[in-house]
Amino acid sequence: MSAGYQPQPARSYATSSDEFDLGTALGGLPTNLEPTTSSRPSAGDIEKQLVSQHLESKQKPVSEQSTAVAMVREAAEEELRLPRSVQALYLAPLKRRAEYGVPTCDLQLRSYSVHNLTFFADFALRAAYYLKLPASGPIPLPRLRQLWTVPRSNFVHKKSQENFERITMRRLIQIKDGHPDAVEIWLAFLTKHQYHGVGMKANVWDFERLDVGKTLDTTVEEMGAGLESKWAQFGQRKASSLKRSFQAAAAPPVAPPPGSVIFSGIQPTGIPHIGNYLGALREWVRLVAQAEPSTKFLFSIVDLHAMTVGREREPLWHARRQTLATLLAMGLDPERCVMFYQSAVPAHCELMWMLSCTASMGHLARMTQWKNKSLSMNDASAAGGPIGSSSRLGLFSYPVLQAADVLVHRYGQIAVMLSCTNGRSATHVPVGEDQAQHLEFARRCVGGFNHTHGNILVRPETILSPAKRVMSLRNPVVKMSKSDPDRKSRVLLTDTPESIRATIKGALTDSCYNRIFYDRRERPGIANLLEIWSHFDEKNRSPETLALEHQRLIVPQFKERVSDAIIDGLAGIRQEYTRVVNADEGRYVDYVANKGVEKARQSAEQTMELVREAVGLSPSRGLSSNV
């Protein structure tokens, strides 16, 4: 170095305002960087100083000029040819170490050219340093190698193929403890000035406050309250009216509007069992007690339906009277309700024939009870095959008669003027869950008849009992029924306390567990008894609650508690049944039946006059035309 060379104070990349400014380089972004001084001269400063010295050396002799030129070349070769990794050391004052090491952003750069990739990685690091982001890298990642072959002619053989290889190089730059806003600015700047041939892929993490976990419990409760109504409709279709009927069974039914017509029927199987009582009969008593005085009630002993399975004369006659006496014993007032025998009102059969002319055999063949009863009678048509000679027409078409039973009583009052052409309200039908499909068929019959003959009949509405099916005590996977040959499979409403205890004691249960719990799938016998107990419980406790409160009981003790609940619930009915049967030497039951038949005939005849007029069978229409 010559005597004329005097080194000047070195400058870093952020020494003063008149030098390089990141706010200008990054499109006007503020940096707020303080000027710094470094003892190491930069390559640019050395170059400027050497050039100025070179110009001054021109005034010197040739020997001195050659010496100065040599020094410039030596300094340039030594200083200007340093790799970028070494030049990055001059940015050491701008680096910032991560204090917590929380990942904020991972930027992956990809390129087929190592030169472009190295240049842009250095550019990204410099921008991160000026934004005071704790950046580290670039970290080399494994290369991605792609190989493929392209045929050069139509003949595919070794010499006609050309192999290609493409290698993708990658670098990773990590930002830790960075502010999200600064990271967003950094990525936006790199996207704006992205170098050609270099791809970017960034993963950015967002973090909440450290105390955010305290609000999770409150958030879960709020979400649960909002989703409770949604879960109630889970798995159900909005378009199915039958599904809507079953949804109504989940909650206690509401009282029908004033002026409604409530009709329901029960087959004359003798004294009903607790399955009939919990499924429909108890709901009849509740409806009568809660309804408005303008509401009309009709309860029929559907003896014509009983003939579909074949009944002898004497047992059928006694069964009708026993069923009617049980209805009176449950608390149904004959002055408030119309109770009658179905066979005593001919309008039921007349309307049944008219509905049969518009009903669909396809819907009848899909009835669940038709399939089950046909299967029990070894009927080959139950499997969906053609109706054979062994099938009984009455069993197949009795849903049409059931629809006629409901639709023939449409007026809200019996003493209504014949000139009235519209019913006061739709008919409501309280039934068990297994009969909801037949009520849906009745609505289809109304649609078919009204489409053909005009708006005459009224669509009935279903009132389902809150009680589900009561299962057999000897086989808890099938419904309780009087057709079961085993007498211990059911409890009748007039059974004595000793008979009830013996029946419940012989109920089929399991002894696989040492405690009581409610599970319909794992323990159907215990679950069935818990449901029966729940229906007779004075505190209206659910089966799950009863199981939890009495989980330490053994099975014999548990059955004793169930027996006590049933005996207390049926005590009043059993005593009242004895009184009704013996009242007026047995003539009271026949008096109620005859009085109910008269009212039912008047109610049905008003509907049939409109129906006959609509189909063209009214005699008054013929007389008026002759005149």
Side-chain angles (χ1 to χ4, degrees):
M1 181 179 298
S2 64
Y5 173 73
Q6 297 294 333
Q8 300 295 326
R11 297 174 300 175
S12 68
Y13 284 89
T15 55
S16 61
S17 60
D18 59 340
E19 296 171 359
F20 178 77
D21 183 26
L22 183 64
T24 304
L26 302 185
L29 299 177
T31 57
N32 299 328
L33 299 179
E34 298 295 335
T36 59
T37 305
S38 175
S39 60
R40 182 187 299 272
S42 64
D45 296 337
I46 294 177
E47 181 181 2
K48 291 180 181 180
Q49 295 173 10
L50 292 177
V51 171
S52 62
Q53 301 249 352
H54 174 67
L55 295 177
E56 295 176 358
S57 66
K58 291 183 179 181
Q59 309 298 332
K60 297 180 180 181
V62 178
S63 59
E64 295 182 2
Q65 293 181 8
S66 61
T67 304
V69 171
M71 292 178 61
V72 171
R73 290 178 179 177
E74 182 181 355
E77 291 177 356
E78 179 183 358
E79 198 70 30
L80 296 179
R81 293 185 179 180
L82 294 177
R84 292 185 180 275
S85 59
V86 178
Q87 295 183 29
L89 294 176
Y90 296 107
L91 298 176
L94 294 177
K95 288 186 178 180
R96 179 185 174 195
R97 293 186 176 274
E99 182 178 0
Y100 302 103
V102 178
T104 305
C105 176
D106 284 352
L107 176 63
Q108 184 182 139
L109 305 177
R110 297 185 177 190
S111 179
Y112 302 135
S113 171
V114 65
H115 174 75
N116 296 352
L117 185 63
T118 305
F119 174 81
F120 193 70
D122 180 74
F123 178 79
L125 277 175
R126 291 170 183 266
Y129 291 158
Y130 279 108
L131 289 174
K132 296 183 179 182
L133 291 173
S136 61
I139 303 173
L141 297 178
R143 299 183 176 185
L144 301 179
R145 186 181 181 187
Q146 294 176 296
L147 299 175
W148 68 94
T149 301
V150 177
R152 293 186 299 180
S153 64
N154 295 333
F155 300 96
V156 180
H157 50 83
K158 185 176 181 180
K159 295 183 179 181
S160 64
Q161 295 180 356
E162 186 174 1
N163 299 326
F164 292 89
E165 180 182 20
R166 183 169 61 187
I167 299 177
T168 304
M169 289 159 288
R170 300 182 295 171
R171 298 291 186 270
L172 177 65
I173 299 177
Q174 292 182 317
I175 305 293
K176 297 181 179 179
D177 298 348
H179 195 279
D181 295 340
V183 173
E184 187 176 354
I185 294 174
W186 177 58
L187 293 176
F189 172 73
L190 295 181
T191 303
K192 180 179 180 181
H193 301 281
Q194 186 174 1
Y195 198 66
H196 63 85
V198 180
M200 295 190 303
K201 177 183 178 182
N203 295 328
V204 182
W205 285 269
D206 291 334
F207 298 94
E208 295 287 347
R209 297 179 304 174
L210 295 178
D211 58 346
V212 71
K214 299 179 180 179
T215 62
L216 292 180
D217 296 337
T218 306
T219 304
V220 170
E221 295 178 359
E222 294 176 355
M223 293 178 59
L227 293 175
E228 185 176 356
S229 59
K230 305 297 182 181
W231 281 112
Q233 302 177 1
F234 181 75
Q236 300 178 356
R237 302 180 189 176
K238 295 182 179 180
S240 175
S241 58
L242 182 59
K243 289 289 185 180
R244 289 195 298 268
S245 299
F246 280 102
Q247 290 177 14
V254 297
S260 302
V261 180
I262 310 298
F263 176 89
S264 191
I266 181 174
Q267 288 204 26
T269 57
I271 299 175
H273 52 70
I274 60 174
N276 304 130
Y277 177 69
L278 298 176
L281 300 183
R282 189 171 65 172
E283 185 64 19
W284 295 4
V285 179
R286 188 197 68 83
L287 287 174
V288 174
Q290 298 181 0
E292 297 291 335
S294 59
T295 304
K296 173 184 174 183
F297 292 92
L298 298 102
F299 300 119
S300 174
I301 312 298
V302 287
D303 45 8
L304 294 178
H305 290 287
M307 299 179 63
T308 57
V309 294
R311 301 288 295 272
E312 296 182 1
R313 176 180 177 275
E314 290 297 328
L316 179 59
W317 186 84
H318 288 289
R320 294 196 315 166
R321 299 187 77 256
Q322 290 176 346
T323 303
L324 181 57
T326 305
L327 297 182
L328 295 172
M330 290 190 309
L332 295 179
D333 185 4
E335 299 296 332
R336 181 73 176 85
C337 310
V338 178
M339 291 175 282
F340 63 97
Y341 297 130
Q342 176 193 27
S343 57
V345 183
H348 288 244
C349 296
E350 184 179 1
L351 182 59
M352 179 257 186
W353 174 251
M354 296 182 181
L355 294 178
S356 299
C357 297
T358 58
S360 170
M361 292 182 60
H363 290 108
L364 291 173
R366 290 192 291 268
M367 291 293 168
T368 303
Q369 286 200 354
W370 151 252
K371 295 180 180 180
N372 295 339
K373 291 185 178 181
S374 299
L375 185 63
S376 63
M377 299 173 61
N378 297 324
D379 194 343
S381 63
I387 301 176
S389 58
S390 60
S391 301
R392 297 183 179 180
L393 179 60
L395 183 62
F396 180 75
S397 61
Y398 96 98
V400 186
L401 178 59
Q402 188 178 31
D405 297 336
V406 176
L407 301 177
V408 76
H409 302 284
R410 56 166 289 172
Y411 282 99
Q413 290 182 350
I414 294 179
V416 65
M417 295 186 297
L418 295 181
S419 60
C420 183
T421 58
N422 293 321
R424 295 179 58 185
S425 64
T427 301
H428 291 69
V429 186
V431 295
E433 184 181 353
D434 57 335
Q435 295 293 327
Q437 188 183 26
H438 293 164
L439 264 296
E440 178 65 23
F441 176 78
R443 284 188 279 268
R444 291 182 178 273
C445 290
V446 171
F449 185 88
N450 290 346
H451 179 74
T452 305
H453 303 289
N455 191 16
I456 302 298
L457 302 179
V458 180
R459 289 173 55 88
E461 299 294 334
T462 305
I463 302 177
L464 287 177
S465 171
K468 298 294 183 180
R469 294 186 181 183
V470 179
M471 313 309 288
S472 172
L473 299 178
R474 302 298 295 174
N475 186 6
V477 297
V478 299
K479 188 180 69 170
M480 182 181 292
S481 175
K482 274 199 170 183
S483 60
D484 194 328
D486 191 350
R487 175 61 179 82
K488 292 186 177 181
S489 66
R490 55 192 175 272
V491 174
L492 301 183
L493 298 185
T494 57
D495 283 349
T496 61
E498 294 76 14
S499 177
I500 294 176
R501 293 186 187 277
T503 303
I504 297 300
K505 185 178 180 179
L508 181 63
T509 55
D510 63 87
S511 58
C512 300
Y513 304 91
N514 57 359
R515 63 187 181 90
I516 302 298
F517 63 90
Y518 180 79
D519 192 330
R520 167 59 69 181
R521 179 175 298 180
E522 295 292 336
R523 310 188 72 181
I526 296 295
N528 186 37
L529 294 179
L530 283 171
E531 291 175 356
I532 295 175
W533 187 1
S534 174
H535 295 315
F536 285 102
D537 185 42
E538 296 180 354
K539 300 180 181 180
N540 295 324
R541 290 172 291 184
S542 64
E544 294 82 357
T545 304
L546 291 173
L548 186 62
E549 294 179 358
H550 303 85
Q551 58 181 341
R552 297 186 179 276
L553 295 179
I554 61 177
V555 175
Q557 296 175 345
F558 168 71
K559 290 183 176 180
E560 284 292 330
R561 302 289 181 88
V562 177
S563 301
D564 294 340
I566 297 176
I567 292 172
D568 294 342
L570 299 181
I573 297 178
R574 182 172 53 253
Q575 298 173 2
E576 185 65 16
Y577 177 81
T578 303
R579 187 193 67 82
V580 169
V581 171
N582 298 326
D584 196 12
E585 298 181 357
R587 292 190 293 267
Y588 177 71
V589 177
D590 297 333
Y591 168 78
V592 172
N594 294 334
K595 185 177 179 180
V597 165
E598 295 179 1
K599 296 180 179 180
R601 286 179 177 177
Q602 297 176 13
S603 175
E605 186 62 26
Q606 298 175 30
T607 302
M608 291 310 301
E609 288 186 0
L610 296 176
V611 173
R612 297 188 192 103
E613 177 70 21
V615 300
L617 299 179
S618 175
S620 59
R621 179 69 176 269
L623 292 176
S624 60
S625 61
N626 291 335
V627 177

